[in-house]
Amino acid sequence: MAAAPFIGAAGTILSASPAQAATIDAGQFSLTARTANTYGEFADLTAGLATKLPKVDATTVVADVNRSATHLTGAPSTSEAFQTGFAWDTDDQTVDYWIPQGVTTSADAYGNGTYPEGGTDRVVLASWYFETNPDDAPTDKYALDKGLRLTFVNYNNESAPKYRHVLLVEPVKTATGEFSFNPIRKHAGGIMWYGNLLYVVDTYKGLRVFDLNTLFKVPLTEKDVCGLHTDGQFYGYGYQYVLPQSHAYDNAGTYLRYTAIGLDRASTPDSLVVSEYSLSGTVDYKDGTFNGTGAGTGTPKVVRWDLDYTDRKLASLTATEAVTVSQQKIQGVVSRKTKHYLAASDGPSTKGTLRTFTSGGSTASAVCDLVIGCEDLSYHSSGASNWSFSESVIWNVGEYVNKRYVYAVHADGS
């Protein structure tokens, strides 16, 4: 479940009645930019790692894919308005401790849809979190939480996509002052790719940022070790590449549950939006330690921040729009100016729904059905000319075992 790993998958049935929406004061929502952690500046820590490890960029990973996905020739599961998509290989379909959550594409990264800028690669990214207790048993099934991973999907050949997982890490120093990195044990419910930067939501704290120009190659052995080992080598839980955090935005205003994130290229300037998950329609701020000044309205919200395309960071730390929407189980969000799209889930056996509402409007209406266990969203404009879609689509990802599809539906539900 995208934004609430602490809540069981089963829940109340989605209401068939339209959700109510209202505009609220955006100024209460703010972030603080952070360039360091307790070990030092992110840039200095990463530079230190670069003296120890081979540094690569995302284009290297896209070219070094090692797993094959299955192309979907028709709509998966319960979804409608299908355009394209794929399913993970058998191992990733059935593994119970890695759970897919976020999705974004190179059509988010650059307006023409390809990566890098001026390049030709068509890429889909997905995030996964490690679940130590996938069966919701009294004790954990897996003792070691391996944190978060990111999947690079080479989509240049739509009929035969290939992919590779990398580990997301935070650069640190050891007790003896050596450069190292740690796993990031968070949820990664939503991701957004903008230029060379990847934004990842941190449920209670805000946004983590990763620079896709800076990854490190590490040995594949030692599958239960992350960072600098006693043998003097660096490992990433058996993954070939690790991607270190480069920046952060910490929530500084009214509490906000950072469940999902989406890019809006239709707004001026470009902007990002964040949505909140709630099981019952009221957001609970008592389940974790939230950054900020205190709780506001418990109605789920969509909050917008402007972006600066010159450096791909936030243009302002204060939100420019905030709307409430009485919709439970929001797992994903994307916006196009004042029009907002939501992915609403309904547990492990009932289809999800793509819903939409307009800022200042009174209701959210259904666009089309999504897969069971629908999660994050990513808007893919038909203006992304280097992809073959004749109309705008919205990408979605499913989380449940053997229902793990990554696919795009027509934005108008047709």
Side-chain angles (χ1 to χ4, degrees):
M1 182 162 292
F6 49 86
I7 294 175
T12 56
I13 300 300
L14 280 174
S15 171
S17 61
Q20 301 300 306
T23 300
I24 60 174
D25 174 30
Q28 66 185 295
F29 301 103
S30 62
L31 291 156
T32 299
R34 178 164 55 86
T35 61
N37 58 21
T38 56
Y39 301 93
E41 292 287 323
F42 288 125
D44 294 339
L45 296 169
T46 302
L49 288 171
T51 67
K52 307 289 185 179
L53 293 167
K55 177 183 170 183
V56 302
D57 61 16
T59 58
T60 299
V61 180
V62 173
D64 191 24
V65 287
N66 64 340
R67 296 185 178 222
S68 296
T70 299
H71 173 61
L72 297 175
T73 58
S77 182
T78 56
S79 68
E80 301 173 319
F82 175 76
Q83 171 66 55
T84 190
F86 60 89
W88 306 109
D89 71 12
T90 301
D91 288 345
D92 289 323
Q93 276 288 352
T94 58
V95 64
D96 61 350
Y97 48 79
W98 281 116
I99 302 177
Q101 295 291 285
V103 65
T104 185
T105 78
S106 52
D108 281 338
Y110 294 103
N112 70 352
T114 53
Y115 187 83
E117 188 172 20
T120 59
D121 284 330
R122 297 188 293 273
V123 186
V124 177
L125 300 182
S127 63
W128 310 59
Y129 78 95
F130 195 97
E131 176 56 75
T132 58
N133 190 12
D135 300 327
D136 199 23
T139 58
D140 285 351
K141 184 176 180 180
Y142 303 101
L144 179 60
D145 183 347
K146 296 186 177 181
L148 305 177
R149 71 181 184 183
L150 181 72
T151 306
F152 288 79
V153 184
N154 185 323
Y155 214 63
N156 290 328
N157 182 355
E158 185 177 332
S159 63
K162 294 183 178 296
Y163 64 96
R164 177 183 283 275
H165 304 304
V166 309
L167 191 70
L168 295 181
V169 298
E170 183 170 358
V172 300
K173 286 185 177 180
T174 67
T176 58
E178 298 289 337
F179 294 105
S180 186
F181 48 81
N182 289 337
I184 299 174
R185 295 184 172 115
K186 298 294 180 178
H187 197 63
I191 58 176
M192 184 195 81
W193 191 359
Y194 191 53
N196 63 305
L197 299 183
L198 177 74
Y199 287 75
V200 180
V201 291
D202 186 329
T203 307
Y204 308 120
K205 295 186 180 299
L207 304 172
R208 293 177 183 249
V209 184
F210 300 79
D211 185 348
L212 294 179
N213 288 333
T214 304
L215 297 93
F216 295 110
K217 189 174 183 178
V218 296
L220 292 169
T221 52
E222 299 295 345
K223 297 185 184 302
D224 289 336
V225 176
C226 179
L228 181 61
H229 194 34
T230 54
D231 63 1
Q233 296 292 316
F234 293 83
Y235 300 100
Y237 288 142
Y239 293 102
Q240 185 78 83
Y241 301 98
V242 298
L243 173 59
Q245 184 175 342
S246 62
H247 198 76
Y249 291 102
D250 298 329
N251 193 67
T254 301
Y255 288 169
L256 186 69
R257 181 180 290 277
Y258 289 79
T259 297
I261 186 172
L263 175 66
D264 186 352
R265 282 191 171 277
S267 64
T268 305
D270 294 345
S271 58
L272 66 81
V273 289
V274 169
S275 65
E276 293 187 297
Y277 176 91
S278 71
L279 183 64
S280 64
T282 300
V283 183
D284 183 3
Y285 300 107
K286 299 179 181 179
D287 58 281
T289 303
F290 283 82
N291 283 359
T293 57
T297 175
T299 307
K301 291 166 284 293
V302 173
V303 182
R304 181 191 304 270
W305 278 268
D306 288 343
L307 292 163
D308 183 345
Y309 77 93
T310 62
D311 61 8
R312 303 295 172 167
K313 296 179 180 179
L314 294 187
S316 172
L317 297 176
T318 302
T320 58
E321 182 186 20
V323 292
T324 63
V325 55
S326 297
Q327 174 66 55
Q328 56 194 14
K329 301 182 183 177
I330 300 171
Q331 304 280 24
V333 62
V334 287
S335 299
R336 300 289 286 177
K337 296 183 179 178
T338 59
K339 187 172 186 178
H340 311 283
Y341 296 88
L342 308 173
S345 67
D346 194 16
S349 59
T350 305
K351 63 189 178 184
T353 309
L354 179 65
R355 304 181 71 86
T356 187
F357 72 97
T358 302
S359 299
S362 60
T363 61
S365 58
V367 177
C368 65
D369 292 337
L370 299 176
V371 298
I372 295 170
C374 65
E375 291 291 328
D376 200 22
L377 298 176
S378 176
Y379 194 95
H380 189 137
S381 170
S382 60
S385 56
N386 287 326
W387 292 64
S388 60
F389 309 145
S390 60
E391 59 184 291
S392 296
V393 299
I394 296 176
W395 287 84
N396 181 234
V397 58
E399 70 169 340
Y400 291 119
V401 168
N402 289 321
K403 298 174 184 176
R404 291 173 172 169
Y405 308 105
V406 182
Y407 65 103
V409 300
H410 300 155
D412 64 1
S414 63

